[in-house]
Amino acid sequence: MIALITGAIFSNFGLLPHVSRVYEIIVVYLVPFAVALLLFRANLRQVVTHTGGLVFVFLVCVSGTVLGAVGGFLLLPLGAEADKLLGVFIATYTGGSMNFVAVSQALELNDAGLLSAALASEAIVGTGYLVLLALTAASTWFMQQFPAQSDLSVSSAPLNTEASRHQSKHSAWLGIALVILLASGICWFGFFIAQYFSMSRFSLLLITLFAVLTANVMPRQLGAARGDFEIGMFLMYVFFVVVGAGADISILFTFGPVLMVYAAVICLVHVLVTLTAGKLCRFNYAELITASNACILGPAPAAALAAHHKWHSLVTPGLLCGILGYVIANFIGVSLSLWVGG
């Protein structure tokens, strides 16, 4: 939010240009590079072995997001780009803002004002949802409505990748060089394949696929590397500044209200589906909170909230469910957008 709003203020007061060749380079080249870096932790073996049944709860949460997005799409006047907005909101509320960026590129949602309004809306509603989760996680009334324990089996063991982070400065730099080299190669290969088959708009989806494949072919090497997440997130923040700089604030206020309602509808339906399924399937409340958090907000908030409430057995599964969201959200968002758009 700070990056987005700062970019918008600077450009609307003449301190940054609204349009620049530099912005195009960031969107076309640096965003795919960031996506590849952020997916290097998507070790699907760990998702299977460490999440237990929580991954099923997470997939229920994803279905709630999809139903909410489709319902809001049918009910609200989202304009000519409604199908693209459907895709990006499904993606961002299935894994986080990284997915928003990737799907907006794949669907060619290029209107800077609309893009800024959508980003601001999902961030504001998502932040409000995080506050709501934090408040209700400690509610004894809510906890009493669900079983104290469930039959789900989850692992409290730490991730193997984290155990390998104790390195010398020399090996740390080698690890950074490794992830930069790999991400660059994956991006080049993704662009090459997309152009070869005349499907350039889906280059980011191919990069997503190749990055996940690399993460699962080289789990030990990438587990020992460092800097991938930090560099990837920094580049995402740069992208948010660029989106804000390209936005006309008047357009942001025009589209913002209806998009905030849309985001709120998605979260509301998501909650209803999650709680209903939780009641029917007898999931406990801690599992529902963690899985919902991983779905709407991503891996880091899910792990942090679980750790804060001392749900130690859910910290690693929550983190890995969020990473699974990174992997599947782009494909779900793009597929449904293309389907409803004809």
Side-chain angles (χ1 to χ4, degrees):
M1 281 299 296
I2 292 171
L4 181 72
I5 293 172
T6 301
I9 291 173
F10 275 38
S11 64
N12 281 271
F13 280 94
L15 300 175
L16 285 176
H18 277 296
V19 180
S20 170
R21 174 60 181 161
V22 175
Y23 299 168
E24 295 178 19
I25 293 172
I26 289 170
V27 170
V28 174
Y29 297 107
L30 294 189
V31 168
F33 183 68
V35 169
L37 288 171
L38 290 170
L39 286 169
F40 282 161
R41 300 294 161 196
N43 186 338
L44 297 181
R45 293 186 189 91
Q46 289 186 332
V47 172
V48 173
T49 57
H50 286 274
T51 57
L54 191 71
V55 71
F56 175 70
V57 188
F58 175 78
L59 293 176
V60 169
C61 294
V62 172
S63 69
T65 294
V66 171
L67 288 174
V70 172
F73 169 82
L74 296 173
L75 295 173
L76 296 171
L78 298 175
E81 305 276 35
D83 55 330
K84 297 178 182 180
L85 291 169
L86 168 80
V88 297
F89 273 95
I90 286 176
T92 195
Y93 286 154
T94 302
S97 296
M98 184 197 80
N99 302 97
F100 183 106
V101 175
V103 173
S104 67
Q105 296 298 306
L107 296 176
E108 299 178 334
L109 182 60
N110 299 322
D111 185 321
L114 184 58
L115 199 60
S116 295
L119 263 172
S121 300
E122 71 90 8
I124 291 170
V125 174
T127 301
Y129 189 68
L130 177 60
V131 173
L132 181 65
L133 285 179
L135 292 174
T136 57
S139 169
T140 55
W141 184 87
F142 274 106
M143 288 186 178
Q144 289 170 357
Q145 309 309 308
F146 298 88
Q149 299 291 334
S150 76
D151 296 329
L152 298 183
S153 174
V154 296
S155 171
S156 59
L159 296 182
N160 293 333
T161 56
E162 298 304 318
S164 60
R165 293 304 183 91
H166 301 290
Q167 308 174 14
S168 67
K169 183 179 290 187
H170 177 69
S171 61
W173 280 111
L174 287 177
I176 292 173
L178 170 67
V179 296
I180 290 175
L181 179 65
L182 277 176
S184 300
I186 288 168
C187 289
W188 176 84
F189 190 58
F191 284 128
F192 174 79
I193 296 296
Q195 290 177 357
Y196 184 81
F197 289 100
S198 301
M199 44 190 287
S200 296
R201 65 182 297 194
F202 299 121
S203 57
L204 255 174
L205 292 185
L206 291 173
I207 290 168
T208 298
L209 176 63
F210 296 147
V212 172
L213 289 174
T214 303
N216 287 271
V217 170
M218 304 174 58
R220 184 176 62 82
Q221 293 86 346
L222 289 174
R226 299 180 68 176
D228 47 339
F229 182 81
E230 292 80 2
I231 297 170
M233 284 308 303
F234 174 79
L235 295 177
M236 284 294 175
Y237 289 136
V238 172
F239 172 78
F240 295 152
V241 173
V242 167
V243 170
D248 184 335
I249 287 182
S250 63
I251 296 177
L252 193 151
F253 282 110
T254 300
F255 287 105
V258 68
L259 292 181
M260 286 189 65
V261 172
Y262 185 43
V265 167
I266 295 172
C267 288
L268 177 61
V269 175
H270 167 95
V271 169
L272 293 175
V273 170
T274 299
L275 294 181
T276 302
K279 195 72 172 176
L280 293 174
C281 299
R282 296 187 59 77
F283 303 141
N284 73 38
Y285 196 56
E287 293 161 350
L288 295 174
I289 288 283
T290 303
S292 178
N293 201 346
C295 184
I296 296 291
L297 296 153
L305 192 62
H308 174 74
H309 288 284
K310 295 181 172 57
W311 302 332
H312 299 300
S313 66
L314 294 174
V315 174
T316 295
L319 183 70
L320 290 171
C321 283
I323 292 174
L324 178 62
Y326 281 174
V327 176
I328 65 175
N330 296 347
F331 299 99
I332 295 173
V334 171
S335 300
L336 287 177
S337 176
L338 295 176
W339 179 62
V340 300

